[in-house]
Amino acid sequence: MITVGEASVRILRKIQPLDAEAVPLERAAGRVLAESVLANTTSPPWDNSSMDGYAVRSSDLVTGNNLPSPRAASIDTGRPQLKVVATIAAGQHSLRPLGAGEAMRIMTGAPIPLGADTVIRIEDTDRGAERVAVTDLRDLGRNIRRAGEDFVSGQTLFDPGTEVRAAHLGVLAAAAVREIRAYRAPRVAILSSGDELVELGDYSPDTSAAKIINANSWTLRELITDAGGEPVDLGVAADTPSSLREKLELTQHERVDLIITSAGVSVGDLDHMRSVFAELGGELDFWRVRMRPGAPMAFGTLRGVPWLGFSGNPVSAMVSFEVFARPVIRKMSGHEKLHRAMIPVRLAEAVAIATPLTHFLRASVTRADDGVYNAHVAGSQSSAVLTAMARANALLVVPADSASNPAGTMLSALPLTDDLGMTSHFAIQ
């Protein structure tokens, strides 16, 4: 047996990002850039108004002493008053420059007319249609978005390694970028094995005696998709070398980048996965890891394609995926951050382990009033009890040398979701 840390290092050392491909912008979300992206246009393309109001010349409103300018007509109150000569809507340009003593009604986003250096917000005027009186001079020289203040044509927008999220998509669209070069999403083969397995669509309580539904393909498909991969379900192989050989041969035809199998890697009489793997030219790197659940785990390569062989127990397969397969898929996809960040947790009850293996216990982690995360063991820890996994939001990591851990002990937990720290109320007042 090797340690969890050593297994992770040995696996990831043999994994490289996949080749880059052209990806249209509508399918770019979640992908990782393989090349820098340059802007194809300037944003904003011209000076434009950030307010509904009036485009004016500040020299028409104040003198050097910040007093109302004598060039502006006045009304009885002495407030600056300007002649309204045009209205500029968003999507239109002014037909002429702004002259002395003039104002142009302007809408948010509309181009600033030549000669104007200020937009007075409409609230600071009397909203005049032919002549407008300015009632507040707080916005002198303001409310203009300058051309190129976001980015200019030819500017580098994002560097390689950037994951494209919602804001990135908006920037790329605004910059007239129609496609990106991103690392290819890995195609991940899933193969379950076992004479006892039946697919959900074929299951019937009356005719499926001694059979159980193949749940692993459902959990692994979703986990692969969530990690950024494309699942390729090869179905179920029987507990015979010929059936396993036939299914594993499909991985070449499907051109997959990673193979994940569940079951058949232990030492039972019908566990043929490792022998068939070797027969097909597979190179085994290691087998068995000092962990529970998931100790009978194998890693190697089959004709250059990495292979992760998990236990057939549903929880074992999911735990092994979170610890080993998710980082592999993320590295193949071009990510630099491969692992979910561990969080410190306080045990809500005593936890003991019977064997000197690193234990990954299903746990429910919540934040206490003192700001510390509390960890409650989420039901049975049997590797066949999948409902406990559904109730868990983290894996409590109990080190191999920590046989007894009283309540209040601080350990670490590996989040299973992004929910930790989220609340049902809005904190900003």
Side-chain angles (χ1 to χ4, degrees), residues 115-138:
D117 62 2
T118 295
V119 173
I120 300 294
R121 69 186 75 187
I122 196 168
E123 301 95 312
D124 292 344
T125 72
D126 66 354
R127 304 175 185 243
E130 296 183 357
R131 302 193 71 82
V132 61
V134 178
T135 59
D136 194 315
L137 300 179
R138 59 179 168 167

Side-chain angles (χ1 to χ4, degrees), residues 138-151:
R138 59 179 168 167
D139 283 341
L140 286 176
R142 299 177 62 185
N143 298 333
I144 296 178
R145 303 185 186 115
R146 297 298 177 184
E149 71 176 19
D150 196 353
F151 53 81

Side-chain angles (χ1 to χ4, degrees), residues 150-223:
D150 196 353
F151 53 81
V152 297
S153 182
Q155 177 181 331
T156 299
L157 297 173
F158 304 115
D159 295 321
T162 301
E163 180 183 356
V164 178
R165 299 190 297 273
H168 301 90
L169 288 173
V171 172
L172 293 169
V177 176
R178 291 175 172 81
E179 70 175 24
I180 60 171
R181 295 284 296 177
Y183 293 103
R184 189 165 55 79
R187 287 171 54 80
V188 184
I190 308 167
L191 174 60
S192 303
S193 65
D195 290 342
E196 77 280 13
L197 296 181
V198 62
E199 297 290 16
L200 176 59
D202 298 326
Y203 176 77
S204 168
D206 300 323
T207 60
S208 300
K211 299 287 187 178
I212 60 173
I213 297 170
N214 176 24
N216 282 353
S217 65
W218 290 85
T219 56
L220 291 174
R221 278 199 305 263
E222 178 55 30
L223 289 171

Side-chain angles (χ1 to χ4, degrees), residues 146-413:
R146 297 298 177 184
E149 71 176 19
D150 196 353
F151 53 81
V152 297
S153 182
Q155 177 181 331
T156 299
L157 297 173
F158 304 115
D159 295 321
T162 301
E163 180 183 356
V164 178
R165 299 190 297 273
H168 301 90
L169 288 173
V171 172
L172 293 169
V177 176
R178 291 175 172 81
E179 70 175 24
I180 60 171
R181 295 284 296 177
Y183 293 103
R184 189 165 55 79
R187 287 171 54 80
V188 184
I190 308 167
L191 174 60
S192 303
S193 65
D195 290 342
E196 77 280 13
L197 296 181
V198 62
E199 297 290 16
L200 176 59
D202 298 326
Y203 176 77
S204 168
D206 300 323
T207 60
S208 300
K211 299 287 187 178
I212 60 173
I213 297 170
N214 176 24
N216 282 353
S217 65
W218 290 85
T219 56
L220 291 174
R221 278 199 305 263
E222 178 55 30
L223 289 171
I224 290 167
T225 301
D226 182 66
E230 298 177 2
V232 179
D233 196 343
L234 302 181
V236 177
D239 282 326
T240 64
S242 60
S243 180
L244 287 171
R245 190 180 307 112
E246 178 185 352
K247 291 292 187 180
L248 287 175
E249 290 282 12
L250 291 176
T251 60
Q252 256 198 319
H253 300 296
E254 293 288 350
R255 301 192 179 193
V256 300
D257 304 294
L258 174 65
I259 303 167
I260 295 178
T261 62
S262 62
V265 291
S266 194
V267 292
D269 291 341
L270 298 179
D271 289 328
H272 303 297
M273 187 69 75
R274 284 182 294 132
S275 60
V276 171
F277 175 79
E279 177 191 326
L280 293 176
E283 298 178 5
L284 185 67
D285 188 293
F286 64 80
W287 172 63
R288 301 179 72 199
V289 181
R290 288 188 160 289
M291 62 186 289
R292 179 168 292 175
M297 196 202 88
F299 170 66
T301 55
L302 179 60
R303 297 163 181 163
V305 178
W307 166 59
L308 292 169
F310 297 157
S311 165
N313 288 318
V315 174
S316 299
M318 291 189 71
V319 170
S320 297
F321 183 94
E322 292 296 341
V323 177
F324 301 113
R326 183 181 294 276
V328 167
I329 293 172
R330 288 181 61 81
K331 187 171 183 180
M332 285 182 168
S333 303
H335 289 277
E336 295 180 358
K337 295 180 179 179
L338 307 181
H339 308 271
R340 281 179 169 151
M342 302 280 279
I343 58 174
V345 295
R346 178 175 56 201
L347 294 183
E349 64 265 328
V351 170
I353 57 174
T355 53
L357 304 173
T358 300
H359 282 61
F360 294 88
L361 306 182
R362 283 144 280 173
S364 174
V365 173
T366 56
R367 193 165 191 164
D369 292 340
D370 61 2
V372 178
Y373 285 101
N374 284 338
H376 299 261
V377 175
S380 170
Q381 295 302 305
S382 166
S383 57
V385 178
L386 197 52
T387 52
M389 195 71 172
R391 287 193 292 268
N393 63 355
L395 295 174
L396 177 65
V397 183
V398 184
D401 59 357
S402 296
S404 179
N405 302 274
T409 301
M410 295 299 296
L411 293 176
S412 295

Side-chain angles (χ1 to χ4, degrees), residues 2-13 286 323-324 327 339:
I2 62 175
T3 66
V4 174
E6 183 182 353
S8 178
V9 169
R10 285 169 67 167
I11 292 170
L12 292 174
R13 191 166 52 202
F286 64 80
V323 177
F324 301 113
H339 308 271

